[in-house]
Amino acid sequence: MEKSKSHYRSITVLLTGIIVLTGIAGIAGNAAASPVDRVSAGQLDANVAVDAESDETTVQLNQSEIDELTERTIERVEKIRELEFKEDVDVEVISVEEFADRNRDAFADTSESEATRENVKWEAMMMVNESTDATELQQANAVEGPRGYYDPEHERVVLVVDDEASPELNELVLAHELVHALQDQHFDISDRFHFSPFERPPMTQDELNAKNGIVEGDAVRVEQLYLDRCSEEWECQIPDRMQADDDELPDRQWGMYLVSLQPYSDGPNFVNHVESDHGWEGVNEIYENPPASSHQVIEPEAYPDDEPATIEFTDRSSSDWELVEGEGDQPDYESVGQAGAASMLFYPYYDSDRDDEAPVIPVLSFLNLTDSGELSEYRPVKYANNPYVSGWNGDALYPYVMETEAGAKETAYVWKSNWETERDAERWLDGYTELLNYHGGEESDENPNVFVIPDDNDFAGAYYIDRSGDTVIIANSPTEEELPAVYDASAVNGERPSEDEPVDGGGSDDSSDGLSGFGIAVTVVALITVASSWRRLAER
């Protein structure tokens, strides 16, 4: 059946409607309200109100009712997860404004070095151009529609509501965040996984997505099973959420959104894969040996043996360029992983007219639709189905900075990736070249393996690309003339450099560690699967 542009736009709107938006620091905040078709007060004496104009049902509770709902939800989570809470968990209700203030305070601690590294990372994925502050976009994404997070410092769940005096709560949100409290009590995720709503963990984007694969995958899987019980045997406090009109896409940075969404889309499947074979005890054991990459979450059969390759790196820059080193325990490089690589090739769909003919990756190879045209309930995005990145085996992205005579700062980077086979490396370059072409990149007339994006386009600059066997090098600089100073003069001019030279200037040899992908307070999204919501799509 032929699909119209409005059909795919509807899918996009629906995808945002099922998201749980929270969490300041990315790894901690996680659940949110989602659209459902029903609400039931259950055994609670809740105030159920119906807006006469919108016909939207809300559930408004007082403090005693919140306490009772919390106690009931704890019992239900224990039953599903087959794990008991060691201690009681307090629930705090705050306003959207208070959440925004806490979020703002977290971003205020962003150092100049951290901000530069974030800018370079998102620029390398061609999601945020050089003239835009990536940290500001992260803050905007993080504040958009928050509904709750777990605060390990105070060992409590924080629910974010529009009206503190008459809070509207979603039992699924509460259940999701209570799972995080349960995880912390049994597996110490706050210390071992740096799980905190307001602190930056010393991880790369890929390592963060990998850890979230089990942490968020576990919570969302419990959510899914919880919702099934609500449909079949339990009375549940789940408010309705109206769908946005087709043309009313939320104002957020979709590239960052897609990268952060991956553990919530693939994580439940990863957890279900383990639980089906080894029960919940098997899932508990994953916390002792968490996934090492988003690849292991995207493709569960890769866990635990298929670990990322070691990435050897030699700093070949001139003295004018400096590596932007990590602070504290943060390494001197980033790793976006299979999730980030897949997202960057699909992002042009959102950057363009969102037609069925996406610029690089076709819509139907990324969004997971059933035969009847519905968005999949439990795994709406197919990160595993991207042919350009399926052979990912490790990557390391090194950011550089140079101060000009005028006092301004220019940035550049060298990005090295390893692939399962030479053919996989070739396909990655095919996809990356299509992305360059989309942004107006053209091959240089003077230098082999160099593309130039004109100054009047986003991501203007020069790009050196080269493949040696199963390894790909991408080097970027503001101009073609600067490329040799960033990477290697002989390489840019057509001679492949030797990789057996000693590391100089902060290189690293392990791609499984790295700088946190969400930085300070990157948007975190989670996904609540509601079958009735998907069915609406088929009717459009």
Side-chain angles (χ1 to χ4, degrees):
M1 180 175 61
E2 183 178 355
K3 306 293 183 182
S4 66
K5 179 184 295 189
S6 63
H7 176 83
Y8 292 106
R9 186 180 293 271
S10 298
I11 295 173
T12 299
V13 174
L14 182 56
L15 186 60
T16 67
I18 61 171
I19 302 176
V20 182
L21 297 164
T22 67
I24 300 198
I27 194 171
N30 333 35
S34 70
V36 292
D37 285 337
R38 67 201 176 284
V39 62
S40 173
Q43 302 303 313
L44 301 178
D45 185 21
N47 299 311
V48 180
V50 178
D51 187 300
E53 294 183 2
S54 67
D55 194 33
E56 180 178 0
T57 307
T58 62
V59 182
Q60 299 172 341
L61 307 177
N62 59 37
Q63 185 57 53
S64 64
E65 292 164 344
I66 291 173
D67 293 340
E68 188 176 349
L69 176 63
T70 300
E71 182 178 351
R72 185 181 77 178
T73 306
I74 285 176
E75 293 175 354
R76 291 177 170 183
V77 168
E78 288 179 331
K79 185 173 184 178
I80 291 172
R81 189 54 178 79
E82 298 180 8
L83 201 61
E84 294 186 357
F85 284 83
K86 295 181 179 181
E87 301 174 2
D88 292 337
V89 182
D90 292 331
V91 174
E92 178 188 16
V93 177
I94 66 173
S95 66
V96 173
E97 291 75 19
E98 172 64 20
F99 179 85
D101 288 341
R102 297 181 185 185
N103 182 59
R104 190 179 304 108
D105 291 342
F107 276 100
D109 293 333
T110 304
S111 69
E112 182 178 355
S113 173
E114 289 172 328
T116 299
R117 290 167 64 89
E118 288 298 300
N119 286 341
V120 172
K121 178 185 70 176
W122 295 108
E123 182 184 356
M125 286 193 279
M126 295 191 181
M127 294 178 178
V128 179
N129 62 34
E130 190 174 6
S131 63
T132 305
D133 189 326
T135 302
E136 290 183 359
L137 288 179
Q138 291 170 345
Q139 182 181 18
N141 271 11
V143 174
E144 179 75 24
R147 285 295 175 260
Y149 63 89
Y150 171 63
D151 177 2
E153 180 180 358
H154 300 95
E155 298 180 347
R156 66 189 176 196
V157 167
V158 179
L159 299 179
V160 185
V161 298
D162 296 325
D163 183 1
E164 284 183 279
S166 184
E168 176 190 356
L169 300 185
N170 185 323
E171 191 169 339
L172 293 178
V173 176
L174 179 58
H176 183 114
E177 302 307 328
L178 284 171
V179 172
H180 291 320
L182 186 66
Q183 292 166 334
D184 202 27
Q185 291 181 14
H186 283 269
F187 311 121
D188 195 19
I189 61 172
S190 55
D191 288 337
R192 295 184 59 245
F193 292 174
H194 303 277
F195 189 101
S196 173
F198 300 109
E199 295 181 6
R200 179 190 188 92
M203 302 178 188
T204 65
Q205 178 71 60
D206 190 47
E207 188 178 13
L208 174 63
N209 278 19
K211 298 298 186 293
N212 270 350
I214 178 61
V215 174
E216 300 299 348
D218 192 355
V220 176
R221 182 58 186 152
V222 170
E223 231 180 301
Q224 294 171 350
L225 296 172
Y226 199 112
L227 181 61
D228 289 343
R229 297 281 187 100
C230 290
S231 301
E232 298 171 359
E233 58 183 283
W234 291 343
E235 297 284 350
C236 298
Q237 300 278 131
I238 307 176
D240 285 348
R241 291 294 180 197
M242 301 299 289
Q243 294 295 320
D245 294 336
D246 285 354
D247 293 329
E248 294 181 1
L249 288 172
D251 183 16
R252 66 170 56 92
Q253 215 298 324
W254 286 90
M256 293 175 174
Y257 173 94
L258 286 168
V259 175
S260 297
L261 177 64
Q262 182 271 321
Y264 299 90
S265 182
D266 291 317
N269 180 69
F270 172 77
V271 169
N272 185 50
H273 177 84
V274 175
E275 194 269 335
S276 296
D277 292 338
H278 307 287
W280 285 110
E281 283 297 325
V283 175
N284 295 345
E285 293 174 2
I286 300 296
Y287 289 89
E288 297 300 320
N289 183 28
S293 67
S294 60
H295 170 69
Q296 291 184 340
V297 179
I298 293 170
E299 302 178 28
E301 63 277 3
Y303 175 84
D305 298 326
D306 190 5
E307 295 191 356
T310 296
I311 301 294
E312 302 287 349
F313 176 74
T314 301
D315 181 5
R316 303 180 184 283
S317 66
S318 72
S319 59
D320 292 334
W321 289 93
E322 293 184 31
L323 275 173
V324 185
E325 298 180 351
E327 300 179 353
D329 294 332
Q330 296 170 352
D332 295 330
Y333 61 92
E334 177 59 273
S335 174
V336 306
Q338 184 175 350
S343 297
M344 67 181 282
L345 295 180
F346 187 67
Y347 174 61
Y349 167 69
Y350 292 94
D351 188 53
S352 62
D353 292 331
R354 292 182 293 274
D355 204 346
D356 54 339
E357 294 295 331
V360 180
I361 301 294
V363 178
L364 291 182
S365 71
F366 197 82
L367 294 180
N368 192 15
L369 305 186
T370 64
D371 292 340
S372 59
E374 302 172 64
L375 197 62
S376 172
E377 291 184 28
Y378 295 137
R379 207 175 181 183
V381 178
K382 298 183 289 189
Y383 295 86
N385 202 40
N386 188 319
Y388 295 124
V389 302
S390 59
W392 180 91
N393 198 37
D395 73 276
L397 172 67
Y398 289 83
Y400 287 87
V401 66
M402 176 182 69
E403 187 169 340
T404 67
E405 294 181 358
K409 290 187 177 181
E410 299 279 7
T411 58
Y413 55 85
V414 176
W415 190 3
K416 189 173 182 179
S417 56
N418 183 259
W419 302 84
E420 294 286 352
T421 66
E422 291 187 16
R423 177 58 184 142
D424 291 329
E426 290 175 352
R427 285 188 295 200
W428 162 241
L429 276 186
D430 289 342
Y432 186 78
T433 301
E434 286 194 40
L435 189 60
L436 288 173
N437 291 335
Y438 168 72
H439 288 289
E442 297 181 353
E443 294 185 48
S444 169
D445 294 331
E446 300 178 4
N447 298 315
N449 300 340
V450 173
F451 280 71
V452 178
I453 296 179
D455 290 340
D456 56 349
N457 292 33
D458 283 342
F459 311 106
Y463 298 79
Y464 166 75
I465 57 177
D466 182 50
R467 180 186 65 83
S468 178
D470 58 6
T471 299
V472 173
I473 292 285
I474 298 171
N476 163 267
S477 69
T479 66
E480 187 171 358
E481 290 73 25
E482 282 291 341
L483 262 179
V486 172
Y487 180 52
D488 182 276
S490 61
V492 173
N493 291 304
E495 301 174 20
R496 180 169 292 115
S498 169
E499 286 293 340
D500 58 5
E501 299 175 15
V503 172
D504 177 22
S508 177
D509 62 359
D510 185 355
S511 67
S512 64
D513 295 321
L515 172 66
S516 167
F518 58 75
I520 300 269
V522 115
T523 241
V524 177
V525 289
L527 150 74
I528 298 178
T529 55
V530 183
S532 58
S533 297
W534 310 138
R535 285 195 292 271
R536 297 177 188 174
L537 183 60
E539 298 171 357
R540 291 184 182 269

